[in-house]
Amino acid sequence: MRVHIHANCQALPLAGMLKEVLPDWNVTFFEAHADPVVQQIEYHRDWVRTADLVLCQPIHDGYRDMEELSTTWIRENVRPGGAFLVVPSVHFTGHQVGLDELPVDGLPLFSNILAAHLMGQGCTSDEAVSMLTSEDFLTSQEIESEIRLSLEETERRELADKIDLPISPFLREHCRVRTLFHTYNHPLRETMVYIINCLLDRLGASERVTVSGHDYQPVPNVPPMPAVARFFREHGGGVAADAASTIVAMPGDPPETQAAYFSRMTNRLGAVPRDALNDLISKRWPAIQVLRRLAAQGSSIPGIARWAEG
């Protein structure tokens, strides 16, 4: 069986897990956003046109100004008799509330717009860290709103993109009881296992990938804040006592606790003039929408009302 995968960074676990249970299959992949697919575009064309099965995430026409990277081109170039399936680009913001990539030198790769807001309101680093690591920082209603919105967006995209192997049933069942993502676009192994096992079902294969096993993308990792962990417990679940659920891991940095992570972040943000920081926050689309939703709900976070629309 010849399989080619065209996707974002999630191509790696998709290919790796297929090879775990079907080592005799010839599985190739390219990441649509990375350099190799452009540097080796002839391989990309050939693998799409010769594979027995092509798995592709939704990629819009004109992406990187190369028609061959789009879902449309790939669908049209699968060989006669070959199978073509659209898999989701798994993205879920409901667990790591406020996670962002603020463009401030010295910040971790992933920072948090809620931390930036607190520092922009004049909190000290210690005050901000105390709030961010408190189980009461966000109410259950506020967390539910973020989870529900992310789930609804997943379902909307699945319909719009005509996804063949949807992830939303898995998310609906588990997203309120435990961690499912390292970051909003890096799922845990368990989450990707669901997609692969749905694929194996679709192909009529008896093999199954197990939840336990190699994690292909353990870094970066940002656990849900303690308030979200509390939300999980309220819904009958909980945060596992493992590194993915408790320890922050960033490329090139040693693992650290959430308190240390937020302390490092807020100390750096505290060096930015407040007016400049608030101006930066106001331009962080779509991350600022988290602040606006919290303001609309009357959150108790200090100063959040400033982000209310209207």
Side-chain angles (χ1 to χ4, degrees):
M1 182 76 161
R2 173 88 173 75
V3 181
H4 182 60
I5 301 170
H6 183 64
N8 59 22
C9 54
Q10 295 163 16
L12 174 62
L14 288 172
M17 289 178 187
L18 268 181
K19 292 291 286 184
E20 285 178 17
V21 293
L22 295 164
D24 294 335
W25 284 19
N26 182 359
V27 181
T28 56
F29 72 89
F30 274 124
E31 295 177 332
H33 65 284
D35 291 336
V37 70
V38 175
Q39 296 164 350
Q40 304 174 53
I41 193 65
E42 290 300 329
Y43 284 105
H44 168 73
R45 295 182 186 124
D46 180 62
W47 291 344
V48 169
R49 289 167 171 158
T50 59
D52 300 303
L53 167 65
V54 176
L55 301 178
C56 183
Q57 287 179 332
I59 299 170
H60 62 77
D61 294 350
Y63 179 68
R64 300 182 71 180
D65 296 322
M66 296 184 68
E67 64 172 351
E68 297 99 321
L69 301 185
S70 71
T71 304
T72 300
W73 185 91
I74 293 171
R75 188 193 305 272
E76 293 173 350
N77 282 270
V78 172
R79 70 170 180 79
F84 174 79
L85 294 173
V86 182
V87 297
S89 178
V90 186
H91 187 276
F92 194 84
T93 60
H95 288 169
Q96 289 92 356
V97 180
L99 196 67
D100 194 15
E101 300 172 64
L102 289 159
V104 176
D105 289 343
L107 283 181
L109 171 64
F110 283 98
S111 50
N112 193 295
I113 202 165
L114 293 169
H117 162 73
L118 292 174
M119 299 309 293
Q121 294 306 298
C123 292
T124 67
S125 175
D126 287 347
E127 289 169 341
V129 172
S130 178
M131 283 185 271
L132 292 162
T133 56
S134 168
E135 290 192 348
D136 299 320
F137 181 58
L138 299 169
T139 68
S140 295
Q141 180 179 342
E142 290 162 357
I143 296 166
E144 170 62 28
S145 175
E146 295 302 307
I147 288 176
R148 184 175 64 251
L149 185 71
S150 195
L151 182 56
E152 289 172 352
E153 177 63 12
T154 297
E155 293 169 336
R156 184 197 68 77
R157 290 186 183 189
E158 288 177 346
L159 288 173
D161 295 327
K162 298 180 174 60
I163 298 297
D164 294 301
L165 303 171
I167 189 66
S168 57
F170 174 83
L171 297 181
R172 267 196 307 273
E173 182 176 358
H174 301 294
C175 69
R176 291 177 174 86
V177 296
R178 65 177 178 271
T179 309
L180 301 175
F181 291 80
H182 290 292
T183 66
Y184 44 65
N185 61 352
H186 276 201
L188 293 182
R189 177 182 170 92
E190 176 187 10
T191 307
M192 297 305 287
V193 162
Y194 178 84
I195 295 175
I196 288 294
N197 283 339
C198 285
L199 170 64
L200 294 170
D201 268 339
R202 182 76 169 253
L203 298 176
S206 60
E207 292 82 1
R208 287 296 175 271
V209 181
T210 61
V211 171
S212 61
H214 177 63
D215 189 338
Y216 290 85
Q217 297 175 309
V219 179
N221 180 73
V222 183
M225 289 186 287
V228 178
R230 183 211 73 236
F231 177 91
F232 291 158
R233 293 196 302 272
E234 290 174 351
H235 287 75
V239 172
D242 57 20
S245 297
T246 58
I247 298 297
V248 177
M250 294 288 165
D253 297 332
E256 59 189 343
T257 65
Q258 287 194 69
Y261 162 71
F262 283 124
S263 180
R264 183 158 61 102
M265 186 189 311
T266 53
N267 273 301
R268 178 65 192 93
L269 291 168
V272 180
R274 286 172 57 185
D275 287 347
L277 183 55
N278 286 319
D279 183 60
L280 172 63
I281 293 169
S282 70
K283 298 172 181 175
R284 292 304 295 165
W285 183 272
I288 193 175
Q289 298 304 312
V290 174
L291 302 181
R292 290 176 175 167
R293 288 192 294 270
L294 289 169
Q297 293 176 78
S299 173
S300 63
I301 295 173
I304 199 71
R306 72 174 295 153
W307 303 112
E309 292 187 287

